[in-house]
Amino acid sequence: DQQVKQNSPSLSVQEGRISILNCDYTNSMFDYFLWYKKYPAEGPTFLISISSIKDKNEDGRFTVFLNKSAKHLSLHIVPSQPGDSAVYFCAASALGAQKLVFGQGTRLTINP
Amino acid sequence: NAGVTQTPKFQVLKTGQSMTLQCAQDMNHEYMSWYRQDPGMGLRLIHYSVGAGITDQGEVPNGYNVSRSTTEDFPLRLLSAAPSQTSVYFCASSYTGTGEAFFGQGTRLTVV
């Protein structure tokens, strides 16, 4: 059973517009959520995170929203830039646990 | 500051062979983990360690062995390689259990 799901394998967005990547989870014990970005032939790099006690966290062009009642989180990138083209992974963990559970990933393509 | 270093970057094994994937970090992180990435499945946790001398199983531990004799090193051993272990393997380390991990560049393993 997939505890963290990213239902969109790919997303294409025009440069300068907003990119919205979505993620759903099923395990109520998750209380920390993260987004990672991955370029080809590289390891994932940490992008932004949010604790379950918050519903929004912002870092520059990146904002993560958490809706606990819907068990849903989203990553907003605005404005989107060509360098944002990558695979984005949503991940979740329980506090104190080092067991990250990842979604399948969404390939984001930013078109000029 | 090298971060997390994985060797080798590429490896081809024959079924039944054994090998060790190396992982070293120079950030004095307590937490280290091994993940495998397969198409359409995101990253799945194989084994993890919360400090020297302490390891535990993740989601997909079968066929793999780990040990943690020092803070810096966390090798992953394939005991008897099988084609199902063809994957890209990532090592990660972090300060805390919240999952904001630093990843290595990955080892692409093919078992024939």
Side-chain angles (χ1 to χ4, degrees), chain A residues 2 32 34 36 38 41-44 46 49 89 93-100 102-104, chain B residues 31 33 35 37 40-43 45 48 50 57 90 94 96-101 103-105:
Chain A
Q2 190 86 19
Y32 202 75
L34 309 95
Y36 283 84
K38 186 182 179 307
E42 294 185 11
F46 170 73
S49 62
F89 290 98
S93 71
L95 187 61
Q98 191 55 9
K99 296 183 178 184
L100 276 179
F102 282 84
Q104 305 95 313
Chain B
Y31 293 83
S33 310
Y35 293 85
Q37 183 191 7
M41 302 192 74
L43 284 81
L45 182 64
Y48 67 100
V50 299
Q57 296 181 349
F90 291 101
S94 65
T96 69
T98 53
E100 293 177 19
F103 282 80
Q105 288 204 315

Side-chain angles (χ1 to χ4, degrees), chain A residues 46-109:
Chain A
F46 170 73
L47 195 56
I48 192 170
S49 62
I50 187 168
S51 163
S52 61
I53 63 173
K54 296 185 176 181
D55 54 18
K56 176 182 173 181
N57 188 27
E58 247 178 300
D59 184 1
R61 296 185 298 113
F62 303 91
T63 302
V64 56
F65 295 93
L66 175 63
N67 182 334
K68 281 182 292 184
S69 60
K71 294 193 176 67
H72 177 83
L73 64 155
S74 60
L75 174 68
H76 292 210
I77 306 172
V78 55
S80 300
Q81 299 174 354
D84 296 329
S85 295
V87 176
Y88 289 78
F89 290 98
C90 167
S93 71
L95 187 61
Q98 191 55 9
K99 296 183 178 184
L100 276 179
V101 181
F102 282 84
Q104 305 95 313
T106 296
R107 181 178 302 278
L108 175 65
T109 303

